[in-house]
């Protein structure tokens, strides 16, 4: 509507133009908006879940010769699933942040029960 010469809606002219790739605000909600606050809240919630997952790995795993704690996916799944049903997603997020290591792209219950997860 902004480019429409026949539009008489003055509210459209006062809105900021859309950002483009390369702009630091591209793909981000407006500052101070409720959407931005919800995003911050979700980010901190996931961070707390990652911390809790690491504590559970430390508590249920075994310390190896190199000092790292290891646990199998099956053992972790059985322990953590009573806390949250998002164990695989939280594991992927923890790996993205360099907190854990395991082989493979995705872990599946049953099939990958013997995959070793190392707490870094």
């Amino acid at each position: 509507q902004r480019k429409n010469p026949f539009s008489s809606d003055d509210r459209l002219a006062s809105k900021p133009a859309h950002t483009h790739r390369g702009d630091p605000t591209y793909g981000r909600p407006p500052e101070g908006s409720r959407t931005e606050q919800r995003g911050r809240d979700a980010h901190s919630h996931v961070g707390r879940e990652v911390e809790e997952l690491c504590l559970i790995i430390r508590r249920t795993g075994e310390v190896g010769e190199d000092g790292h704690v290891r646990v199998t996916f099956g053992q972790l799944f059985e322990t953590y699933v009573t806390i949250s049903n998002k164990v695989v997603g939280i594991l992927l997020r923890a790996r993205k942040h360099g907190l854990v290591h395991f082989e493979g792209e995705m872990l599946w219950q049953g099939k990958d029960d013997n995959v070793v997860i190392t707490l870094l």
Side-chain angles (χ1 to χ4, degrees):
Q1 289 295 320
R2 183 168 304 171
K3 293 180 181 181
N4 184 348
F6 303 107
S7 177
S8 62
D9 194 350
D10 294 333
R11 293 176 299 148
L12 294 174
S14 64
K15 286 189 177 181
H18 291 284
T19 57
H20 300 284
R21 288 183 196 257
D23 186 349
T25 61
Y26 180 76
R28 297 193 176 270
E31 274 190 53
S33 68
R34 291 178 61 195
T35 302
E36 182 189 36
Q37 183 60 45
R38 284 191 295 269
R40 273 195 252 119
D41 292 346
H43 184 73
S44 67
H45 177 73
V46 169
R48 286 191 301 272
E49 284 204 35
V50 168
E51 286 178 30
E52 186 175 8
L53 176 75
C54 291
L55 290 173
I56 290 171
I57 292 173
R58 182 169 293 153
R59 189 174 46 214
T60 60
E62 297 177 7
V63 179
E65 294 176 6
D66 59 357
H68 290 293
V69 178
R70 290 178 175 76
V71 66
T72 63
F73 176 66
Q75 182 182 0
L76 179 64
F77 189 89
E78 290 302 318
T79 304
Y80 194 78
V81 80
T82 60
I83 298 166
S84 173
N85 61 353
K86 302 178 289 268
V87 64
V88 175
I90 299 299
L91 266 173
L92 292 172
R93 178 63 63 104
R95 178 169 70 176
K96 179 180 176 181
H97 289 286
L99 300 172
V100 298
H101 173 73
F102 56 88
E103 296 296 324
E105 293 268 332
M106 179 67 82
L107 296 174
W108 303 97
Q109 183 186 12
K111 180 182 141 216
D112 294 321
D113 283 351
N114 294 323
V115 171
V116 176
I117 299 167
T118 305
L119 182 64
L120 302 175

